[in-house]
Amino acid sequence: MELFDTAVVLTRVMTSGTVMSIEKSDRELPGLERLLAKATGRAKVVLVNSRTAAVHAALAGQGIGHGDTADLPGLDPRTAAFVSWLGVTVRAEEGARPAFDQISLDQENADRLRELARPVGAEPAPVLVVDLTGLGFGPAAAVLTDDPKVWARAERLKIFGAYDLRTMWTQEEADADLVPGVQFNYRLSPLVAACVRMAVQQASSSAPSGASA
């Protein structure tokens, strides 16, 4: 993205008066969610502020936590170390369906998001982790799934998740069974979300016909 485009996006967000992800009037996060859902064909999106947060949310969304085992063949050493830190044992059986798939977007491949998210001939994992950090606007990632329960659990891992926004003023818990033992500050900034969305949109518009995101 050109510096002028970035400045325009940042100015739009800053002058809107909505710069925090817990504000109900925020439009940037839902906008990025809709874009990623359409491009990947997944129904539900959870936006987080790092790739490791997305890995954590992908596992927690499926009820995988400390003391559990997850099929994650081909996991890179750094991610494997993080999963081990979470107390999850990595099982790497050849041919096993992984707990989640993962892709990383950058300026070079953002126009191929649709293709990367839907590999031909491969059965997709129940969850897709998309690392958006390579687009150049700071750590950012997304967790995508078609399972509403997985989405709800992953969303609740963040401080002030979707349900908290409805109940934080009354202190009444809407779905106590979805609340994890510990919640993390995994919220993505609307500023970053706006820039990431613009980068993906621009990549899509510049992609050859039939290959856009």
mmCIF file of all heavy atoms in Angstrom, residues 1-2 5 16 26 34 41 48 50 77-78 83 97-99 122 133-134 146 148 169 176-177 185 196:
data_model
loop_
_atom_site.group_PDB
_atom_site.id
_atom_site.type_symbol
_atom_site.label_atom_id
_atom_site.label_comp_id
_atom_site.label_asym_id
_atom_site.label_seq_id
_atom_site.Cartn_x
_atom_site.Cartn_y
_atom_site.Cartn_z
ATOM 1 N N MET A 1 0.843 -1.190 0.000
ATOM 2 C CA MET A 1 0.000 0.000 0.000
ATOM 3 C C MET A 1 0.882 1.246 0.000
ATOM 4 O O MET A 1 1.885 1.320 0.691
ATOM 5 C CB MET A 1 -0.893 0.005 1.240
ATOM 6 C CG MET A 1 -1.943 1.091 1.222
ATOM 7 S SD MET A 1 -2.770 1.298 2.826
ATOM 8 C CE MET A 1 -3.402 -0.344 3.086
ATOM 9 N N GLU A 2 0.507 2.250 -0.805
ATOM 10 C CA GLU A 2 1.264 3.492 -0.861
ATOM 11 C C GLU A 2 1.092 4.275 0.439
ATOM 12 O O GLU A 2 0.078 4.149 1.136
ATOM 13 C CB GLU A 2 0.777 4.348 -2.044
ATOM 14 C CG GLU A 2 0.963 3.690 -3.403
ATOM 15 C CD GLU A 2 2.427 3.519 -3.760
ATOM 16 O OE1 GLU A 2 3.251 4.326 -3.257
ATOM 17 O OE2 GLU A 2 2.739 2.588 -4.517
ATOM 18 N N ASP A 5 -2.114 6.250 0.661
ATOM 19 C CA ASP A 5 -3.288 5.438 0.978
ATOM 20 C C ASP A 5 -3.349 5.135 2.470
ATOM 21 O O ASP A 5 -4.419 5.160 3.084
ATOM 22 C CB ASP A 5 -3.259 4.127 0.192
ATOM 23 C CG ASP A 5 -3.333 4.349 -1.303
ATOM 24 O OD1 ASP A 5 -4.017 5.294 -1.713
ATOM 25 O OD2 ASP A 5 -2.706 3.592 -2.053
ATOM 26 N N SER A 16 -12.901 9.423 13.040
ATOM 27 C CA SER A 16 -14.206 8.824 13.325
ATOM 28 C C SER A 16 -14.508 8.844 14.820
ATOM 29 O O SER A 16 -15.663 8.722 15.229
ATOM 30 C CB SER A 16 -14.247 7.371 12.827
ATOM 31 O OG SER A 16 -13.444 6.533 13.660
ATOM 32 N N ASP A 26 -17.679 0.736 16.186
ATOM 33 C CA ASP A 26 -16.548 0.423 15.302
ATOM 34 C C ASP A 26 -17.027 -0.290 14.034
ATOM 35 O O ASP A 26 -17.827 -1.224 14.097
ATOM 36 C CB ASP A 26 -15.537 -0.471 16.032
ATOM 37 C CG ASP A 26 -14.523 -1.055 15.063
ATOM 38 O OD1 ASP A 26 -13.864 -0.265 14.362
ATOM 39 O OD2 ASP A 26 -14.424 -2.294 14.999
ATOM 40 N N ARG A 34 -15.795 -9.346 7.268
ATOM 41 C CA ARG A 34 -16.606 -9.669 6.084
ATOM 42 C C ARG A 34 -15.717 -9.960 4.879
ATOM 43 O O ARG A 34 -15.997 -10.879 4.100
ATOM 44 C CB ARG A 34 -17.567 -8.519 5.774
ATOM 45 C CG ARG A 34 -18.723 -8.387 6.760
ATOM 46 C CD ARG A 34 -19.769 -7.419 6.248
ATOM 47 N NE ARG A 34 -19.241 -6.064 6.106
ATOM 48 C CZ ARG A 34 -19.265 -5.148 7.071
ATOM 49 N NH1 ARG A 34 -19.790 -5.440 8.251
ATOM 50 N NH2 ARG A 34 -18.790 -3.938 6.864
ATOM 51 N N GLY A 41 -14.304 -18.225 2.147
ATOM 52 C CA GLY A 41 -15.447 -19.124 2.140
ATOM 53 C C GLY A 41 -15.825 -19.636 3.509
ATOM 54 O O GLY A 41 -16.662 -20.539 3.627
ATOM 55 N N VAL A 48 -7.559 -11.197 15.784
ATOM 56 C CA VAL A 48 -6.683 -11.105 16.955
ATOM 57 C C VAL A 48 -5.414 -10.339 16.584
ATOM 58 O O VAL A 48 -5.170 -10.020 15.420
ATOM 59 C CB VAL A 48 -6.319 -12.500 17.495
ATOM 60 C CG1 VAL A 48 -7.538 -13.166 18.128
ATOM 61 C CG2 VAL A 48 -5.753 -13.392 16.396
ATOM 62 N N SER A 50 -2.099 -11.143 16.901
ATOM 63 C CA SER A 50 -0.837 -11.816 16.597
ATOM 64 C C SER A 50 -1.116 -13.222 16.082
ATOM 65 O O SER A 50 -2.215 -13.764 16.275
ATOM 66 C CB SER A 50 0.064 -11.902 17.832
ATOM 67 O OG SER A 50 -0.474 -12.787 18.793
ATOM 68 N N PRO A 77 8.934 -25.016 14.152
ATOM 69 C CA PRO A 77 9.458 -25.123 15.525
ATOM 70 C C PRO A 77 8.946 -24.052 16.484
ATOM 71 O O PRO A 77 8.645 -24.351 17.651
ATOM 72 C CB PRO A 77 10.973 -25.004 15.321
ATOM 73 C CG PRO A 77 11.210 -25.509 13.936
ATOM 74 C CD PRO A 77 10.017 -25.045 13.152
ATOM 75 N N ARG A 78 8.829 -22.808 16.034
ATOM 76 C CA ARG A 78 8.381 -21.741 16.930
ATOM 77 C C ARG A 78 6.935 -21.936 17.351
ATOM 78 O O ARG A 78 6.573 -21.748 18.516
ATOM 79 C CB ARG A 78 8.559 -20.380 16.258
ATOM 80 C CG ARG A 78 10.009 -19.975 16.045
ATOM 81 C CD ARG A 78 10.130 -18.593 15.455
ATOM 82 N NE ARG A 78 9.607 -17.569 16.341
ATOM 83 C CZ ARG A 78 9.561 -16.280 16.042
ATOM 84 N NH1 ARG A 78 10.008 -15.859 14.856
ATOM 85 N NH2 ARG A 78 9.071 -15.408 16.891
ATOM 86 N N VAL A 83 2.730 -23.966 21.245
ATOM 87 C CA VAL A 83 1.675 -24.932 21.551
ATOM 88 C C VAL A 83 2.069 -25.762 22.773
ATOM 89 O O VAL A 83 1.233 -26.047 23.643
ATOM 90 C CB VAL A 83 1.409 -25.838 20.331
ATOM 91 C CG1 VAL A 83 0.462 -26.975 20.696
ATOM 92 C CG2 VAL A 83 0.821 -25.019 19.189
ATOM 93 N N ARG A 97 -5.695 -35.449 9.770
ATOM 94 C CA ARG A 97 -6.312 -34.155 9.533
ATOM 95 C C ARG A 97 -5.883 -33.207 10.648
ATOM 96 O O ARG A 97 -6.122 -33.477 11.827
ATOM 97 C CB ARG A 97 -7.827 -34.286 9.523
ATOM 98 C CG ARG A 97 -8.548 -33.015 9.087
ATOM 99 C CD ARG A 97 -10.041 -33.161 9.278
ATOM 100 N NE ARG A 97 -10.771 -32.034 8.719
ATOM 101 C CZ ARG A 97 -12.021 -31.752 9.049
ATOM 102 N NH1 ARG A 97 -12.665 -32.508 9.921
ATOM 103 N NH2 ARG A 97 -12.632 -30.715 8.501
ATOM 104 N N PRO A 98 -5.238 -32.087 10.313
ATOM 105 C CA PRO A 98 -4.735 -31.192 11.355
ATOM 106 C C PRO A 98 -5.851 -30.464 12.092
ATOM 107 O O PRO A 98 -6.951 -30.286 11.557
ATOM 108 C CB PRO A 98 -3.868 -30.198 10.563
ATOM 109 C CG PRO A 98 -4.469 -30.186 9.190
ATOM 110 C CD PRO A 98 -4.935 -31.592 8.954
ATOM 111 N N ALA A 99 -5.552 -30.046 13.310
ATOM 112 C CA ALA A 99 -6.528 -29.281 14.094
ATOM 113 C C ALA A 99 -6.821 -27.948 13.428
ATOM 114 O O ALA A 99 -7.924 -27.410 13.548
ATOM 115 C CB ALA A 99 -6.012 -29.069 15.509
ATOM 116 N N ALA A 122 -7.318 -31.038 -1.123
ATOM 117 C CA ALA A 122 -7.021 -31.243 0.289
ATOM 118 C C ALA A 122 -8.267 -30.992 1.130
ATOM 119 O O ALA A 122 -8.992 -30.028 0.908
ATOM 120 C CB ALA A 122 -5.902 -30.304 0.739
ATOM 121 N N THR A 133 0.360 -10.420 9.523
ATOM 122 C CA THR A 133 1.471 -9.553 9.930
ATOM 123 C C THR A 133 2.339 -9.135 8.755
ATOM 124 O O THR A 133 2.822 -7.998 8.702
ATOM 125 C CB THR A 133 2.330 -10.276 10.987
ATOM 126 O OG1 THR A 133 1.497 -10.711 12.054
ATOM 127 C CG2 THR A 133 3.412 -9.365 11.532
ATOM 128 N N GLY A 134 2.523 -10.030 7.793
ATOM 129 C CA GLY A 134 3.394 -9.754 6.655
ATOM 130 C C GLY A 134 2.918 -8.638 5.751
ATOM 131 O O GLY A 134 3.678 -8.168 4.887
ATOM 132 N N ASP A 146 -16.312 -22.539 10.143
ATOM 133 C CA ASP A 146 -17.741 -22.613 9.828
ATOM 134 C C ASP A 146 -18.550 -23.040 11.049
ATOM 135 O O ASP A 146 -19.778 -23.088 10.991
ATOM 136 C CB ASP A 146 -17.994 -23.608 8.686
ATOM 137 C CG ASP A 146 -17.489 -23.086 7.352
ATOM 138 O OD1 ASP A 146 -17.642 -21.877 7.098
ATOM 139 O OD2 ASP A 146 -16.924 -23.881 6.576
ATOM 140 N N PRO A 148 -20.094 -22.408 14.552
ATOM 141 C CA PRO A 148 -20.437 -21.306 15.459
ATOM 142 C C PRO A 148 -19.892 -21.489 16.874
ATOM 143 O O PRO A 148 -19.528 -20.520 17.534
ATOM 144 C CB PRO A 148 -21.974 -21.305 15.450
ATOM 145 C CG PRO A 148 -22.353 -22.003 14.195
ATOM 146 C CD PRO A 148 -21.297 -23.034 13.972
ATOM 147 N N TRP A 169 -22.024 -3.891 31.195
ATOM 148 C CA TRP A 169 -22.616 -2.856 32.039
ATOM 149 C C TRP A 169 -23.535 -3.451 33.101
ATOM 150 O O TRP A 169 -23.722 -2.881 34.166
ATOM 151 C CB TRP A 169 -23.389 -1.860 31.171
ATOM 152 C CG TRP A 169 -22.558 -1.272 30.089
ATOM 153 C CD1 TRP A 169 -22.761 -1.380 28.733
ATOM 154 C CD2 TRP A 169 -21.359 -0.511 30.243
ATOM 155 N NE1 TRP A 169 -21.758 -0.743 28.048
ATOM 156 C CE2 TRP A 169 -20.883 -0.197 28.941
ATOM 157 C CE3 TRP A 169 -20.627 -0.069 31.346
ATOM 158 C CZ2 TRP A 169 -19.724 0.545 28.724
ATOM 159 C CZ3 TRP A 169 -19.470 0.673 31.122
ATOM 160 C CH2 TRP A 169 -19.040 0.967 29.825
ATOM 161 N N ALA A 176 -22.059 -18.521 30.368
ATOM 162 C CA ALA A 176 -20.970 -18.813 31.295
ATOM 163 C C ALA A 176 -20.113 -19.989 30.839
ATOM 164 O O ALA A 176 -18.913 -20.041 31.119
ATOM 165 C CB ALA A 176 -21.534 -19.082 32.683
ATOM 166 N N ASP A 177 -20.699 -20.936 30.115
ATOM 167 C CA ASP A 177 -19.948 -22.117 29.695
ATOM 168 C C ASP A 177 -18.913 -21.796 28.631
ATOM 169 O O ASP A 177 -18.037 -22.617 28.335
ATOM 170 C CB ASP A 177 -20.892 -23.194 29.178
ATOM 171 C CG ASP A 177 -21.677 -22.754 27.947
ATOM 172 O OD1 ASP A 177 -22.113 -21.590 27.918
ATOM 173 O OD2 ASP A 177 -21.845 -23.586 27.039
ATOM 174 N N ASN A 185 -5.503 -10.356 26.365
ATOM 175 C CA ASN A 185 -5.699 -9.123 25.597
ATOM 176 C C ASN A 185 -5.282 -9.357 24.153
ATOM 177 O O ASN A 185 -4.246 -8.900 23.697
ATOM 178 C CB ASN A 185 -4.898 -7.975 26.204
ATOM 179 C CG ASN A 185 -5.272 -6.637 25.595
ATOM 180 O OD1 ASN A 185 -6.147 -6.564 24.739
ATOM 181 N ND2 ASN A 185 -4.615 -5.586 26.021
ATOM 182 N N VAL A 196 -5.064 -3.251 7.087
ATOM 183 C CA VAL A 196 -5.008 -4.605 6.535
ATOM 184 C C VAL A 196 -6.103 -4.798 5.492
ATOM 185 O O VAL A 196 -5.876 -5.364 4.421
ATOM 186 C CB VAL A 196 -5.150 -5.641 7.671
ATOM 187 C CG1 VAL A 196 -5.403 -7.040 7.095
ATOM 188 C CG2 VAL A 196 -3.897 -5.655 8.543
#
